[in-house]
């Protein structure tokens, strides 16, 4: 379990894992515990994150292999996050990994999430669990889990402030105050950031406040209370054609152009539709841990209320979702041998239930138009996990485990009018409205349930010098979310859902798709080796997943939704390699390499093509040098050395790129530190991400430009 004896890898920065149940009487060293887990896991602490004027999630996790984060629009937006390809083709990503804050999910009960709520500025550490290891945290996904761990008053007493600013209108202010007494501690945090953005129509804002209070009820029972509120908003400047991106990456698309030969450059009209997302989430929770000799009990409960307004381009409309979710978690660990690295037995039970109202409106020139959908979305997910860690000898451990999940997804279509309205613009004059239309209302109500077992078996061998070899085989189970089961369809860059031909207002077409999706399952084999030799440490994992019914969210050549589908069979192969080296007394190197080969398996339409959206190779390297004991400089390189596919038919590709950042931090005294940063040092024009579509055109708007060269500076104060 994410339990009592923590689960970890080597001591390389960025490649270890903290326990998620606190244990007071832990006699084995952290290094021993970190080498015991038979699977892919990582930890990034706040000390690993050199100060940045714009600390995005991709920067915070750049040293972790196997975690691929592709920025969409810079700032505090929602990047595409995928681990082992899970949820890869969701646009924007809202499924495929479990995202937790202090062990409690920020995912909704149906598995969807808004990753922008997780703020790397306010963490003590970020735990990463890849693959089946996340099952012990209540995950029901192929990819894994991210756990954002807050500081406490015990490890972060006193006052801390930071302010920064720089290019593209970037401004940031954060503060933290912590206290600790014999039985009580607490920490309170505030983070405010805003940005005009690199591109036209690219502003973003975020406000995040929160805190936690811990109480030692006795020598062996502790309780911690959490509360927080996050509010974020960001413009969506959208994709460009490759030619337009190279000519001016700051511009935005104005939609397809009508010529005598037909429409060219298909894509959204950002100037007219003004897509934007505004979302907020309130969370409250508590966690109680009790230790009775060899037994540890962990009881947690949390509630989140999420309000999310996403103004998509006209083809999808305006989606307004608001509702609450409750999660309850019980964990147990039994470790009769105090010197053992892992508990002999561990178990987790997690239940999440939630309900949300969703309204759909027409996007009429960037304003909220007529309503065409009204749904009540209910969801529940029960996940159970139990596992053993059986010592076969002093060096060999056998770890069998079993997980079970049961999920429900219900939609009550409350739209009671006989027709759903549609609008369209003249493709040749995209600001001119055509006559309005309507399509017959068809109920979108559904009641779905999913269940599945996910067994796993791992064998690990640990040498006397701390090197660990492991192999594991596991199953995974992932039910669809409401965003998979209820999608707007039959829109175009100049017409709303249900109107596939802008000129024909009464053409019969569905505005929604409610596919009868199956849960995604997979069988995964993986093996790894982690260890240390002198000043060199490494962590290498290779995996192969045979996936059945992979959930894919398809889009057409304009980026309009085609709804979700189950691929029959796919296969995911990957290598995750982390390397750390102390080259000299003052010189250190970190390297994270990720290889991904995700393919269809004899698909009747796509054959053995690669799944679009996954960079085949991704290298993140960092070299750090201490000029003085209090002065650090760092160079970071993000390298995508080969082309990345945009579509599942493998016809359109994004070009390779190399981006270099320079950072420096100077500690003036015990209280003040200044820092500076240059991002994209060589002002490279490149696509940080792309749309993912099923069949692409060479002239379509599918490329999302990364930021150009930027300069940032700031100061931190600690008292």
């Amino acid at each position: 379990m994410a339990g009592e004896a923590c689960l970890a890898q080597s001591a390389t920065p960025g490649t270890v894992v903290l326990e998620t149940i606190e244990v007071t009487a832990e006699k084995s060293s952290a290094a021993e515990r970190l080498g015991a887990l038979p699977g892919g896991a990582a930890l990034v602490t706040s000390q690993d994150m050199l100060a940045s004027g714009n600390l995005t999630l991709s920067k915070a996790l750049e040293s972790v292999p196997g975690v691929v984060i592709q920025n969409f629009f810079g700032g505090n937006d929602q990047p595409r996050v995928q681990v082992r390809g899970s949820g890869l083709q969701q646009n924007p990503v809202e499924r495929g990994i479990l995202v937790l804050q202090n062990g409690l999910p920020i995912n909704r009960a149906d598995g969807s999430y808004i990753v922008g709520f997780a703020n790397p500025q306010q963490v003590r550490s970020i735990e990463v669990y890849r693959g089946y290891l996340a099952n012990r945290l209540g995950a029901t996904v192929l990819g894994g889990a991210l756990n954002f761990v807050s500081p406490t008053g015990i490890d972060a007493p006193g006052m801390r402030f930071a302010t920064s600013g720089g290019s593209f209108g970037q401004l940031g202010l954060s503060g933290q105050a912590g206290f600790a007494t014999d039985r009580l501690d607490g920490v309170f945090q505030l983070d405010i950031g805003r940005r005009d953005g690199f591109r036209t129509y690219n502003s973003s804002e975020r406000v995040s406040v929160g805190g936690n209070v811990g109480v030692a009820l006795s020598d062996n029972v502790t309780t911690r209370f959490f509360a927080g509120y996050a509010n974020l908003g960001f413009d969506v400047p959208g994709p460009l054609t490759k030619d337009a991106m190279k000519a001016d990456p700051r511009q935005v698309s104005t939609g397809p152009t009508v010529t005598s030969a037909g429409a060219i450059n298909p894509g959204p009209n950002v100037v007219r539709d003004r897509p934007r997302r505004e979302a907020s989430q309130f969370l409250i929770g508590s966690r109680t841990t009790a230790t009775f000799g060899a037994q540890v009990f962990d009881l947690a409960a949390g509630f989140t209320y999420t309000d999310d307004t996403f103004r998509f381009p006209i083809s999808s409309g305006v989606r307004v979702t608001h509702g609450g979710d409750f999660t309850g978690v019980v964990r147990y660990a039994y470790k009769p041998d105090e010197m053992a690295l892992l508990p002999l037995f561990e178990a987790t039970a997690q239940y999440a239930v939630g309900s949300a109202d969703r309204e759909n409106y027409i996007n009429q020139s960037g304003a909220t138009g007529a309503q065409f959908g009204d749904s009540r979305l209910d969801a529940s997910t029960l996940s159970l996990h139990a596992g053993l860690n059986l010592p076969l000898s002093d060096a060999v451990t056998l770890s069998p485990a079993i997980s079970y999940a049961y999920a429900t997804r219900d939609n009550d279509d409350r739209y009671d009018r006989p027709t759903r309205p549609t609008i369209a613009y003249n493709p040749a004059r995209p600001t001119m409205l055509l006559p309005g239309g309507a399509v017959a209302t068809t109920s979108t109500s559904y009641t779905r349930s999913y269940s599945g077992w996910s067994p796993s078996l791992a064998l690990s061998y640990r040498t006397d010098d701390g090197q660990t070899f492991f192999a594991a085989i596991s199953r995974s189970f992932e039910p669809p979310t409401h965003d998979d089961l209820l999608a707007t369809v039959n829109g175009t860059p100049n017409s709303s859902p249900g109107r596939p031909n802008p000129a024909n207002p009464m053409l019969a077409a569905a505005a929604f798709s409610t596919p009868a999706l199956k849960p995604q399952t997979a069988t995964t084999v993986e093996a790894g080796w982690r260890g240390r030799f002198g000043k060199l440490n490494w962590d290498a994992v290779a995996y192969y997943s045979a996936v059945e019914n992979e959930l894919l969210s398809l889009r057409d050549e304009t980026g309009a939704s085609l709804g979700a589908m189950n691929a029959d069979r796919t296969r995911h192969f990957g290598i995750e390699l982390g390397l750390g080296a102390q080259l000299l007394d003052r010189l250190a190197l970190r390297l994270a390499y990720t290889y991904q080969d995700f393919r269809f398996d004899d698909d009747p339409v796509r054959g053995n093509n690669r799944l679009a959206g996954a960079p085949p190779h991704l290298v993140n390297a960092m070299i750090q040098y201490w000029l003085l004991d209090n002065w650090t400089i760092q160079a970071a390189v993000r390298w995508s050395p080969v082309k990345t596919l945009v579509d599942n038919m493998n016809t359109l590709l994004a070009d390779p790129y190399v981006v270099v950042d320079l950072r420096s931090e100077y500690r003036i005294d015990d209280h003040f530190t200044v820092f500076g940063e240059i991002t994209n040092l060589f002002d490279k024009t490149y696509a940080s991400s792309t749309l993912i579509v099923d069949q692409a055109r060479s002239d379509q708007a599918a490329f999302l430009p990364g930021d150009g060269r930027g300069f940032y500076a700031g100061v931190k104060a600690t008292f």
Side-chain angles (χ1 to χ4, degrees):
M1 94 194 238
E4 182 228 11
C6 81
L7 312 176
Q9 293 188 358
S10 68
T12 309
T15 58
V16 296
V17 174
L18 276 179
E19 66 259 48
T20 56
I21 292 180
E22 299 174 12
V23 181
T24 54
E26 183 60 60
K27 294 185 177 180
S28 59
S29 71
E32 289 176 319
R33 298 198 312 267
L34 297 181
L37 184 65
L43 173 79
V44 175
T45 69
S46 57
Q47 288 75 24
D48 296 324
M49 307 174 201
L50 205 65
S52 170
N54 183 26
L55 183 60
T56 61
L57 189 59
S58 60
K59 288 182 181 178
L61 295 177
E62 63 188 358
S63 64
V64 181
V67 180
V68 177
I69 303 178
Q70 298 167 295
N71 289 327
F72 271 22
F73 317 117
N76 299 319
D77 65 17
Q78 181 165 311
R80 176 184 292 134
V81 184
Q82 59 96 355
V83 179
R84 300 188 175 183
S86 186
L88 168 66
Q89 297 208 345
Q90 194 89 349
N91 278 312
V93 172
E94 294 180 328
R95 174 181 56 76
I97 59 175
L98 177 65
V99 183
L100 307 116
Q101 187 162 333
N102 301 306
L104 289 168
I106 66 171
N107 297 61
R108 308 214 60 206
D110 71 339
S112 63
Y113 67 93
I114 302 174
V115 75
F117 290 145
N119 188 349
Q121 300 263 27
Q122 294 181 309
V123 301
R124 181 183 71 194
S125 61
I126 304 173
E127 300 172 4
V128 181
Y129 301 82
R130 304 192 298 273
Y132 82 101
L133 294 183
N135 290 350
R136 66 193 64 203
L137 301 179
T140 55
V141 294
L142 168 66
L146 301 177
N147 185 27
F148 292 75
V149 181
S150 300
T152 69
I154 296 172
D155 54 60
M159 308 282 285
R160 303 182 185 189
F161 302 96
T163 184
S164 64
S167 298
F168 320 129
Q170 172 75 32
L171 292 172
L173 175 66
S174 63
Q176 176 177 303
F179 71 93
T181 65
D182 289 344
R183 293 286 183 178
L184 183 70
D185 74 273
V187 67
F188 306 95
Q189 297 175 300
L190 168 68
D191 182 57
I192 302 172
R194 67 163 310 277
R195 195 171 188 260
D196 295 332
F198 169 66
R199 300 177 62 192
T200 302
Y201 189 68
N202 193 190
S203 68
S204 63
E205 310 86 33
R206 175 164 61 189
V207 176
S208 181
V209 296
N212 64 81
V213 174
V215 182
L217 302 177
S218 68
D219 291 341
N220 60 338
V221 180
T222 61
T223 293
R224 190 163 297 277
F225 300 94
F226 306 93
Y229 174 77
N231 186 296
L232 64 147
F234 54 89
D235 297 329
V236 181
L240 295 172
T241 67
K242 185 179 286 190
D243 288 343
M245 181 185 70
K246 291 180 177 179
D248 179 8
R250 294 177 179 267
Q251 65 181 308
V252 296
S253 172
T254 57
T257 302
V258 176
T259 70
S260 58
I264 61 172
N265 303 328
N269 190 326
V270 174
V271 174
R272 181 194 64 208
D273 296 340
R274 302 185 68 78
R276 178 175 173 83
R277 190 169 202 175
E278 295 181 351
S280 63
Q281 185 176 77
F282 169 77
L283 67 88
I284 188 170
S286 68
R287 186 170 195 165
T288 299
T289 301
T291 304
F292 300 101
Q295 302 182 86
V296 177
F297 298 87
D298 190 44
L299 177 65
F303 175 79
T304 61
Y305 186 85
T306 307
D307 195 337
D308 178 27
T309 298
F310 203 146
R311 186 168 65 229
F312 293 90
I314 188 176
S315 61
S316 294
V318 181
R319 188 186 76 188
V320 180
T321 310
H322 43 91
D325 299 87
F326 171 82
T327 301
V329 184
V330 178
R331 296 190 176 102
Y332 170 76
Y334 176 62
K335 187 164 74 71
D337 181 0
E338 291 186 357
M339 302 306 296
L341 296 174
L342 295 176
L344 179 64
F345 175 74
E346 51 188 351
T348 300
Q350 178 171 295
Y351 181 67
V353 59
S355 184
D357 294 322
R358 173 168 291 178
E359 296 97 37
N360 297 88
Y361 301 88
I362 289 172
N363 181 347
Q364 186 165 337
S365 298
T368 300
Q371 185 174 3
F372 67 91
D374 186 1
S375 299
R376 178 75 171 188
L377 304 176
D378 296 312
S380 68
T381 303
L382 170 68
S383 57
L384 306 174
H385 174 83
L388 293 165
N389 298 290
L390 303 172
L392 303 183
S393 70
D394 291 341
V396 179
T397 300
L398 183 69
S399 300
I402 185 74
S403 297
Y404 173 77
Y406 178 78
T408 64
R409 308 285 186 260
D410 300 327
N411 172 33
D412 178 16
D413 186 353
R414 301 185 299 185
Y415 187 82
D416 58 3
R417 280 160 269 180
T419 60
R420 302 185 192 271
T422 67
I423 68 167
Y425 294 88
N426 187 330
R429 300 179 63 185
T431 59
M432 177 184 290
L433 269 172
L434 296 172
V439 296
T441 297
T442 301
S443 176
T444 64
S445 295
Y446 54 78
T447 298
R448 309 276 168 78
S449 62
Y450 310 91
S451 62
W453 294 90
S454 300
S456 64
L457 180 65
L459 185 69
S460 58
Y461 171 71
R462 184 174 175 83
T463 65
D464 291 339
D465 61 0
Q467 296 192 49
T468 299
F469 300 84
F470 68 85
I473 182 169
S474 61
R475 287 281 290 173
S476 63
F477 170 85
E478 185 168 343
T481 68
H482 280 304
D483 294 328
D484 299 312
L485 295 167
L486 179 66
T488 53
V489 293
N490 291 320
T492 78
N494 288 298
S495 64
S496 62
R499 192 161 171 174
N501 184 339
N504 190 339
M506 305 307 292
L507 180 66
F512 291 96
S513 171
T514 56
L517 298 173
K518 299 176 182 178
Q520 172 181 301
T521 60
T523 299
T524 300
V525 293
E526 59 186 285
W529 175 32
R530 67 175 65 94
R532 174 184 295 273
F533 180 76
K535 296 184 177 181
L536 177 69
N537 48 67
W538 61 90
D539 188 349
V541 180
Y543 65 89
Y544 177 87
S545 298
V547 186
E548 297 179 0
N549 301 313
E550 180 162 0
L551 292 162
L552 303 179
S553 297
L554 302 182
R555 294 180 179 270
D556 67 14
E557 62 188 16
T558 71
S561 173
L562 296 172
M565 62 162 278
N566 288 118
D568 186 15
R569 295 187 307 274
T570 55
R571 55 185 190 267
H572 294 203
F573 172 67
I575 297 173
E576 303 159 344
L577 175 62
L579 182 68
Q582 190 74 35
L583 302 177
L584 300 170
D585 288 343
R586 293 184 177 270
L587 184 66
L589 170 71
R590 265 190 278 172
L591 176 70
Y593 167 70
T594 302
Y595 173 74
Q596 302 178 116
D597 184 355
F598 308 151
R599 295 180 181 270
F600 294 94
D601 188 357
D602 290 330
D603 186 87
V605 176
R606 304 162 191 89
N608 294 320
N609 286 354
R610 286 180 180 263
L611 276 77
H617 304 271
L618 193 61
V619 180
N620 282 286
M622 184 278 293
I623 189 165
Q624 184 165 309
Y625 184 71
W626 287 263
L627 291 167
L628 300 169
D629 290 343
N630 59 343
W631 187 5
T632 303
I633 59 173
Q634 183 185 91
V637 177
R638 183 177 177 87
W639 180 27
S640 181
V642 300
K643 294 184 177 182
T644 300
L645 291 162
V646 173
D647 68 329
N648 291 326
M649 299 305 292
N650 295 181
T651 61
L652 185 63
L653 298 97
D655 293 333
Y657 63 85
V658 178
V659 176
V660 178
D661 298 339
L662 294 180
R663 304 162 190 160
S664 184
E665 185 173 291
Y666 180 76
R667 179 168 51 84
I668 298 173
D669 54 30
D670 291 341
H671 300 294
F672 293 97
T673 300
V674 294
F675 60 89
E677 181 179 24
I678 306 174
T679 59
N680 195 355
L681 177 65
F682 300 107
D683 203 20
K684 172 70 175 178
T685 297
Y686 70 106
S688 60
S689 186
T690 70
L691 293 186
I692 299 175
V693 298
D694 200 41
Q695 171 69 67
R697 284 175 40 163
S698 60
D699 64 337
Q700 81 173 92
F703 301 88
L704 300 164
D707 285 356
R709 184 189 296 120
F711 300 88
Y712 305 92
V715 59
K716 298 188 296 183
T718 302
F719 301 97

